[in-house]
Amino acid sequence: DADVTQTPRNRITKTGKRIMLECSQTKGHDRMYWYRQDPGLGLRLIYYSFDVKDINKGEISDGYSVSRQAQAKFSLSLESAIPNQTALYFCATSDFSGVPQHFGDGTRLSIL
Amino acid sequence: AQSVSQHNHHVILSEAASLELGCNYSYGGTVNLFWYVQYPGQHLQLLLKYFSGDPLVKGIKGFEAEFIKSKFSFNLRKPSVQWSDTAEYFCAVNARSGNTPLVFGKGTRLSVIA
């Protein structure tokens, strides 16, 4: 079984819809992250959480929200999706070092 | 704020050629430095990391990187590339304390041709 599981793997939806991307991990790590990847732009941090009670905005948090339901679960929501949020989204975890070492397989999100 | 620059957007090499990918960072304090690799269709994997000590760091699959503090650089090298090294490579940095998340460069796509 994968250490970091993202669901769904692919999603196509329409502008204005609410979308939730889910991430669960079996590493027992406290720290979890959401990134988006766009061609030529690398990975940009959306939100991160150092423990269940700690949520922090990343570089590009506008238009996104997150929920840390438990140590193992960290969900990303798009309240009202827009086409420029079309991207590949990765969840990652890390130990106390703060170095993401375990990435999920990604969710490819297309917003029409 | 931290930033990372990767100068090469796309590098094309023949098998057995030597590789050097550039990475420069901007940060006012002490940093940790990393290289990640993303094979086609896969997620990122940590290739190597530098926290302190010997500035020449060896990673998996024959890769190494050298931290040159005076140049704010952390270039990735491999003496002889293989077709299987075709991937995208990302340099990343965070503060030495580890309490700031990583900042990634925009990536360098490496294509190795037989």
Side-chain angles (χ1 to χ4, degrees):
Chain A
D1 288 339
D3 294 326
V4 181
T5 302
Q6 290 183 233
T7 56
R9 292 295 312 280
N10 292 282
R11 178 80 184 270
I12 301 172
T13 192
K14 295 182 179 180
T15 297
K17 294 291 187 181
R18 184 178 187 276
I19 302 160
M20 179 180 284
L21 308 183
E22 298 188 344
C23 177
S24 62
Q25 54 119 342
T26 59
K27 296 300 297 180
H29 287 161
D30 286 327
R31 301 184 176 195
M32 298 186 74
Y33 309 81
W34 275 105
Y35 293 91
R36 65 176 278 178
Q37 183 178 19
D38 299 276
L41 295 180
L43 270 75
R44 292 181 292 167
L45 183 64
I46 306 172
Y47 271 95
Y48 63 103
S49 169
F50 279 1
D51 65 41
V52 175
K53 297 180 181 179
D54 177 75
I55 302 288
N56 302 282
K57 292 183 177 181
E59 179 187 354
I60 53 163
S61 59
D62 287 349
Y64 301 94
S65 63
V66 291
S67 173
R68 185 80 185 266
Q69 302 96 322
Q71 186 202 41
K73 296 184 183 294
F74 191 36
S75 301
L76 176 71
S77 294
L78 288 70
E79 296 301 325
S80 179
I82 55 177
N84 75 3
Q85 291 177 314
T86 293
L88 183 57
Y89 290 83
F90 285 104
C91 175
T93 75
S94 76
D95 57 19
F96 66 91
S97 71
V99 181
Q101 296 202 32
H102 302 274
F103 283 80
D105 288 333
T107 295
R108 189 167 296 280
L109 180 61
S110 297
I111 300 165
L112 307 178
Chain B
Q2 302 151 29
S3 67
V4 178
S5 297
Q6 292 183 243
H7 314 298
N8 311 104
H9 179 62
H10 187 193
V11 173
I12 302 173
L13 294 173
S14 298
E15 277 194 316
S18 63
L19 169 71
E20 181 161 3
L21 301 182
C23 173
N24 287 91
Y25 68 93
S26 173
Y27 183 64
T30 308
V31 297
N32 303 316
L33 294 154
F34 311 87
W35 276 97
Y36 286 80
V37 60
Q38 184 179 31
Y39 297 104
Q42 296 187 25
H43 58 247
L44 272 73
Q45 302 172 45
L46 184 63
L47 198 55
L48 51 76
K49 57 189 176 185
Y50 172 79
F51 289 133
S52 63
D54 189 343
L56 184 61
V57 180
K58 295 193 184 297
I60 60 173
K61 305 187 181 187
F63 287 92
E64 65 179 30
E66 184 175 13
F67 171 49
I68 302 179
K69 187 175 181 180
S70 61
K71 295 184 178 180
F72 297 90
S73 69
F74 190 56
N75 292 353
L76 181 70
R77 300 195 293 247
K78 186 171 184 179
S80 176
V81 295
Q82 302 171 320
W83 178 81
S84 58
D85 293 324
T86 294
E88 190 150 18
Y89 293 82
F90 296 94
C91 183
V93 63
N94 75 342
R96 176 60 55 82
S97 65
N99 288 327
T100 60
L102 288 188
V103 174
F104 285 84
K106 294 182 178 180
T108 297
R109 186 156 63 100
L110 172 65
S111 299
V112 180
I113 54 179

